[in-house]
């Protein structure tokens, strides 16, 4: 049906237009989508077997929906994508504040227009993109914000009593009539506001300052909440929770592959960066692994969650760290090194909530610990386990490398080394190049250097080398040498304290 050609109520009736409630409309379009095997919910990754089927079931059941999950689990994104299941255009009575259905009007204004003009009542069309309203719940949200308030100036001007519907200034929900209305962080709403919502869901009436108005609004509600809020900042009042028919639990990506897809989809990398900064699969996986390590770290508040935004910001920072070095060194292109991982620390520290033990460690130290654990977790994919290699009767493949450091050699890898300096530093470690070539003979020159650096970090995580954090970069030295020095240092401090 061509919406442009229909301008009056009479023309709408003649076209045999059937008006549906918003829930029926979503259901109708989802049925078509499922029959045509359309994917739907574009860009939502990792939920194909869990959240999406439950969401589709809820829509087919014409339910109001509560998405319950920790931060950064795409709850709001899912709600926004439901708009795609609405009809492209719907008709409404021209001039209606609440976009009345011409075939099923509910407001005083629409009733009056149709009574006055009959089939000549002017009709306008609303696009689905305008049929979505989102409100972040905060403790200061009022009934007036969501539902409406009496407008005394209107009452005085029009000489109306407060019992007349025309004195009401409608809030967000009535203006979302025939639309999707999303309330983010529902537990943050005061209990009395939640009760007002429950009244709208249940009784189809709205109460403003003791004035009761029967207004059968047609709204698809989607609420989001964080399980942490149930104990921390508030809770969903029981009668309201009881009226939200479907509660769907969201979750973090189950594996690195999905996590990586999400990061690449969301990370804002410029065309210049894509052309000039090469990022190997290893460093991409390390960024994702940092989030997985954070989600099981004892230093981080697990009830608060570790958002998918952590890896997105971290990946953007990782590319920018390498780009910064390239610009300073006036190079034409570069590749991401492990020393660039120090660049992701600001992205990590801003996205984690530390518990008391974590606060004692400090956010930067916790971030470095997570990076170290990520390196250790992925090391076994590329090289033999250094602990097992040490105990094994066979020749230890790492022996030449550790011996080089035992002989008193040290290696500093600063963030700002040029490509030539970086290669020169790594090449001086005896046995390092041969080890990488033995296990990964077909790699490019850049990948080989990256894995050489990876071996040093891996050996440090397995306590076979000492790694220290420099002002900008890392320093590697013999393990025993560092232990000996540390013990001396501690004794000296003790002497000072006793004086």
């Amino acid at each position: 049906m061509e919406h442009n050609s229909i301008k009056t109520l009479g023309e709408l009736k003649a076209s045999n237009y059937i008006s549906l409630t918003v829930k029926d409309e979503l259901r109708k379009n989802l049925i078509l989508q499922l029959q045509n095997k359309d994917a739907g919910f574009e860009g939502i990754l990792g939920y194909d077997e869990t959240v999406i089927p439950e969401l589709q079931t809820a829509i087919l059941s014409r339910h109001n929906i509560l998405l319950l999950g920790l931060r950064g689990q795409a709850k709001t994104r899912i709600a926004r994508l439901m708009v795609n299941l609405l009809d492209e255009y719907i008709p409404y009575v021209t001039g209606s504040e609440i976009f009345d259905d011409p075939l099923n009007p509910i407001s005083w204004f629409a009733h009056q227009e149709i009574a006055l003009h009959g089939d000549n009542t002017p009709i306008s069309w609303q696009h689905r993109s305008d049929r979505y309203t989102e409100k972040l719940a905060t403790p200061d949200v009022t009934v007036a914000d969501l539902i409406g308030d009496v407008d005394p100036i209107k009452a005085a001007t029009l000489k109306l009593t407060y019992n007349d519907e025309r004195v009401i200034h409608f809030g967000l929900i009535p203006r979302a009539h025939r639309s999707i209305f999303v309330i983010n962080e529902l537990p943050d709403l005061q209990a009395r506001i939640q009760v007002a919502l429950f009244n709208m869901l249940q009784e189809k009436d709205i109460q403003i300052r003791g004035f009761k108005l029967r207004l059968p609004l047609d709204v698809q509600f989607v609420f989001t909440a964080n399980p942490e809020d149930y104990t921390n900042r508030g809770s969903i009042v029981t009668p309201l929770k009881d009226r939200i028919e479907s509660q769907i639990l969201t979750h973090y990506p189950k594996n690195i592959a999905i996590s990586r897809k999400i990061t690449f989809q969301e990370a804002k990398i410029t065309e210049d960066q894509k052309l000039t900064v090469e990022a190997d699969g290893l460093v991409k996986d390390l960024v994702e692994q940092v989030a997985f390590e954070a989600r099981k770290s004892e230093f981080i508040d697990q009830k608060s969650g570790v958002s998918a935004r952590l890896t997105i910001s971290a990946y953007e920072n990782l590319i920018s760290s390498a780009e910064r070095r390239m610009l300073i060194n006036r190079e034409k292109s570069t590749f991401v090194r492990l020393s660039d991982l120090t660049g992701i620390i600001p992205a990590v520290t801003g996205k984690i909530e530390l518990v008391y033990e974590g606060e004692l460690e400090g956010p930067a130290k916790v971030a470095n610990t997570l990076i170290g654990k990520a390196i250790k977790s992925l090391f076994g994919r590329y090289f033999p386990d250094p602990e097992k290699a040490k105990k094994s009767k066979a020749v230890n493949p790492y022996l030449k490398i550790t011996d080089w450091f035992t002989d008193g050699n040290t290696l500093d890898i600063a963030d700002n080394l040029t490509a030539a300096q970086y290669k020169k530093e790594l090449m001086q470690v005896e046995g390092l190049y041969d080890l990488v070539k033995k296990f990964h003979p077909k790699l490019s020159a850049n990948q080989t250097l990256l894995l050489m650096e990876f071996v040093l970090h891996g050996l440090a995580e397995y306590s076979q080398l000492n790694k220290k954090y420099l002002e900008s970069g890392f320093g590697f030295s013999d393990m025993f040498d560092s232990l000996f020095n540390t013990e001396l240092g501690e004794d000296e401090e003790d002497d000072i304290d006793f004086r």
Side-chain angles (χ1 to χ4, degrees):
M1 182 182 63
E2 187 50 59
H3 67 274
N4 292 334
S5 59
I6 294 174
K7 299 277 196 286
T8 65
L9 178 56
E11 289 169 4
L12 186 69
K13 286 176 181 170
S15 73
N16 295 326
Y17 178 79
I18 298 166
S19 69
L20 296 172
T21 65
V22 63
K23 290 188 169 85
D24 282 327
E25 201 183 310
L26 288 164
R27 175 183 156 82
K28 174 196 75 174
N29 291 321
L30 176 62
I31 288 170
L32 283 174
Q33 204 179 68
L34 291 171
Q35 285 171 339
N36 296 334
K37 292 198 162 48
D38 280 353
F41 298 99
E42 292 301 316
I44 300 291
L45 303 170
Y47 282 172
D48 294 347
E49 308 297 321
T50 51
V51 177
I52 300 299
E54 289 178 7
L55 186 66
Q56 290 170 334
T57 304
I59 293 169
L60 291 172
S61 300
R62 297 177 300 183
H63 284 177
N64 292 309
I65 296 163
L66 170 64
L67 295 168
L68 186 65
L70 296 171
R71 59 188 177 166
Q73 292 185 348
K75 300 187 292 294
T76 311
R77 161 79 63 102
I78 288 169
R80 286 175 186 161
L81 286 171
M82 281 176 67
V83 171
N84 297 335
L85 289 171
L86 294 169
D87 288 344
E88 191 174 4
Y89 285 95
I90 57 162
Y92 68 94
V93 178
T94 304
S96 164
E97 276 185 284
I98 63 170
F99 302 100
D100 276 279
D101 182 347
L103 303 176
N104 188 18
I106 63 168
S107 73
W108 182 91
F109 171 85
H111 283 300
Q112 278 300 105
E113 282 288 287
I114 292 167
L116 274 172
H117 304 291
D119 280 356
N120 291 324
T121 304
I123 300 293
S124 298
W125 293 82
Q126 185 184 25
H127 189 257
R128 61 177 159 221
S129 58
D130 298 323
R131 297 173 61 200
Y132 176 87
T133 310
E134 195 178 295
K135 178 73 180 149
L136 176 63
T138 51
D140 60 345
V141 170
T142 62
V143 173
D145 294 335
L146 289 184
I147 296 167
D149 206 348
V150 170
D151 184 344
I153 297 168
K154 225 186 217 179
T157 314
L158 299 172
K159 296 188 168 56
L160 299 169
T161 68
Y162 280 4
N163 280 347
D164 195 307
E165 181 197 320
R166 283 171 287 172
V167 304
I168 294 176
H169 172 76
F170 287 120
L172 285 170
I173 295 176
R175 288 170 189 273
H177 177 47
R178 305 170 72 205
S179 299
I180 296 169
F181 190 82
V182 179
I183 297 184
N184 281 321
E185 311 301 344
L186 181 62
D188 284 356
L189 271 192
Q190 288 177 27
R192 66 190 180 83
I193 317 284
Q194 291 189 36
V195 171
L197 270 177
F198 151 66
N199 218 48
M200 294 186 81
L201 287 174
Q202 184 67 14
E203 311 297 339
K204 296 288 186 193
D205 63 25
I206 61 178
Q207 294 177 5
I208 298 167
R209 297 188 186 278
F211 163 50
K212 189 170 176 179
L213 168 67
R214 179 107 184 110
L215 198 65
L217 289 170
D218 173 24
V219 182
Q220 166 71 56
F221 283 102
V222 181
F223 304 103
T224 75
N226 190 323
E228 177 205 14
D229 296 338
Y230 277 49
T231 52
N232 190 353
R233 296 201 294 263
S235 62
I236 301 174
V237 297
T238 314
L240 175 59
K241 198 160 186 278
D242 196 39
R243 294 306 181 289
I244 304 169
E245 300 96 338
S246 280
Q247 176 177 294
I248 297 170
L249 300 177
T250 57
H251 55 81
Y252 286 122
K254 298 264 171 74
N255 58 50
I256 279 194
I258 290 168
S259 190
R260 214 167 116 167
K261 271 187 188 167
I262 293 169
T263 301
F264 297 147
Q265 178 180 287
E266 301 301 321
K268 292 177 176 61
I269 306 295
T270 69
E271 287 306 313
D272 281 356
Q273 288 175 324
K274 285 176 189 168
L275 289 170
T276 56
V277 182
E278 176 194 327
D280 189 67
L282 167 61
V283 290
K284 291 173 178 174
D285 282 354
L286 279 171
V287 169
E288 304 305 329
Q289 190 64 37
V290 166
F292 279 81
E293 297 298 337
R295 285 177 195 139
K296 58 188 186 198
S297 166
E298 70 277 16
F299 294 131
I300 291 166
D301 182 0
Q302 298 305 324
K303 289 202 300 295
S304 180
V306 176
S307 164
R309 284 181 277 269
L310 180 142
T311 49
I312 296 161
S313 301
Y315 183 64
E316 289 168 350
N317 265 11
L318 186 69
I319 298 294
S320 297
S321 294
E323 184 186 33
R324 179 178 172 274
R325 179 185 61 248
M326 176 189 82
L327 295 169
I328 290 169
N329 291 337
R330 298 189 172 182
E331 292 171 325
K332 291 275 186 293
S333 64
T334 189
F335 66 98
V336 178
R337 306 169 185 170
L338 262 77
S339 47
D340 294 325
L341 285 168
T342 49
I344 79 169
I345 290 173
V348 176
T349 53
K351 298 274 188 300
I352 52 177
E353 297 288 328
L354 300 177
V355 294
Y356 179 67
E357 291 81 359
E359 294 287 0
L360 291 178
E361 291 286 318
K365 193 165 179 199
V366 169
N368 275 319
T369 304
L370 295 175
I371 293 168
K373 285 187 169 178
I375 289 168
K376 191 171 183 179
S377 295
L378 294 187
F379 194 75
R381 277 202 211 166
Y382 293 83
F383 296 101
D385 182 320
E387 280 173 355
K388 287 181 184 162
K390 204 173 181 182
K391 292 170 188 164
S392 153
K393 293 209 165 63
V395 178
N396 179 353
Y398 304 108
L399 197 59
K400 254 189 182 174
I401 301 166
T402 48
D403 281 354
W404 186 81
F405 285 100
T406 310
D407 290 344
N409 294 306
T410 59
L411 180 72
D412 289 350
I413 298 182
D415 296 349
N416 55 2
L417 295 178
T418 64
Q421 290 166 333
Y422 177 70
K423 181 176 181 178
K424 187 182 168 203
E425 289 296 318
L426 287 169
M427 284 299 195
Q428 60 181 341
V429 181
E430 264 177 45
L432 188 53
Y433 178 79
D434 297 338
L435 174 91
V436 172
K437 275 295 174 200
K438 178 184 173 186
F439 290 102
H440 302 278
K442 291 181 179 159
L443 293 184
S444 71
N446 286 350
Q447 287 174 314
T448 304
L449 290 171
L450 177 70
L451 280 190
M452 286 166 74
E453 191 187 356
F454 184 51
V455 168
L456 298 177
H457 284 271
L459 289 174
E461 290 307 319
Y462 279 96
S463 304
Q464 300 201 7
L465 288 180
N466 175 53
K467 174 166 80 173
K468 64 176 186 290
Y469 297 96
L470 308 171
E471 278 296 309
S472 56
F474 300 99
F476 295 95
S477 58
D478 179 51
M479 197 68 206
F480 296 105
D481 183 39
S482 69
L483 284 172
F484 187 63
N485 287 340
T486 315
E487 281 164 18
L488 265 181
E490 281 168 5
D491 288 349
E492 283 166 15
E493 279 174 25
D494 289 347
D495 291 346
I496 296 163
D497 288 342
F498 283 120
R499 278 178 217 155

